[in-house]
Amino acid sequence: MTASGTRDALVQAGVDLLEETGSTEIGLREIARRAGVSHGAPRRWFPTHKALLGAIAEVGLRDLARTLTEAGDTDATADIAGWARAYIEFAGTRPAMFTLIFRHDLLEGSGAGLRSVSKPLFDRLLNRVRATHPVPDPLTTATALWVGVHGIAVLSTTGALTLAAPGVDIDALIQRVVRDALG
């Protein structure tokens, strides 16, 4: 296996393990076993466990970015609602990855450069708000949108939303968050 092949195999094994177990508590030995390499191999490519988790989270962020890009619509408000639906759907279909992406306590200091992937996601939302909705403070508006949508994603993924508000219409909730944020 080539050097980049070993690195890629370790990252993919970590992604697979994360998705299968649903836990961010994935160990280096199990990742190495899944990748078919020695238990010491991860340390050759990733100086710390955080570095490997960062590489796994980067895969998730890139997948989320692709998902959000594919969710675009022609009407600006529909585009934002489509973005929200795609964000929530990603969280629902890949809850462990979604959790890892936002576990700054696990990823801080990973050296993965995750901000270079995550910041453009928020910037696209901010630019969409700036371009399509004349609001006095687009940064706060875009942040309120993200916070509201992220809250729906977390609450629905953990089952808390169903417990607190059984039968709530997620699409109506998304529309409300978008409408309230955009004014």
Side-chain angles (χ1 to χ4, degrees), residues 142-156:
T143 303
L145 270 165
W146 178 50
V147 167
V149 170
H150 188 79
I152 295 169
V154 169
L155 292 172
S156 61

Side-chain angles (χ1 to χ4, degrees), residues 126-152:
L126 176 59
N127 291 335
R128 172 67 66 192
V129 168
R130 282 184 176 138
T132 60
H133 294 83
V135 293
D137 185 357
L139 177 62
T140 299
T141 299
T143 303
L145 270 165
W146 178 50
V147 167
V149 170
H150 188 79
I152 295 169

Side-chain angles (χ1 to χ4, degrees), residues 3-96:
S4 65
T6 300
R7 183 190 188 288
D8 292 347
L10 288 164
V11 172
Q12 188 58 54
V15 169
D16 294 345
L17 190 58
L18 175 73
E19 304 280 7
E20 287 170 23
T21 66
S23 173
T24 57
E25 305 283 325
I26 50 178
L28 292 175
R29 283 183 180 263
E30 181 60 17
I31 291 171
R33 189 186 68 70
R34 292 271 182 118
V37 297
S38 74
H39 70 273
R43 294 284 185 210
R44 288 187 207 116
W45 310 111
F46 302 97
T48 65
H49 189 212
K50 280 186 177 189
L52 180 51
L53 289 176
I56 293 166
E58 184 177 356
V59 169
L61 277 167
R62 292 192 188 287
D63 291 349
L64 177 59
R66 197 171 21 264
T67 297
L68 296 177
T69 298
E70 293 168 0
D73 243 331
T74 54
D75 173 73
T77 302
D79 186 42
I80 291 171
W83 168 88
R85 276 187 219 89
Y87 189 93
I88 293 165
E89 184 176 310
F90 182 90
T93 58
R94 299 184 67 192

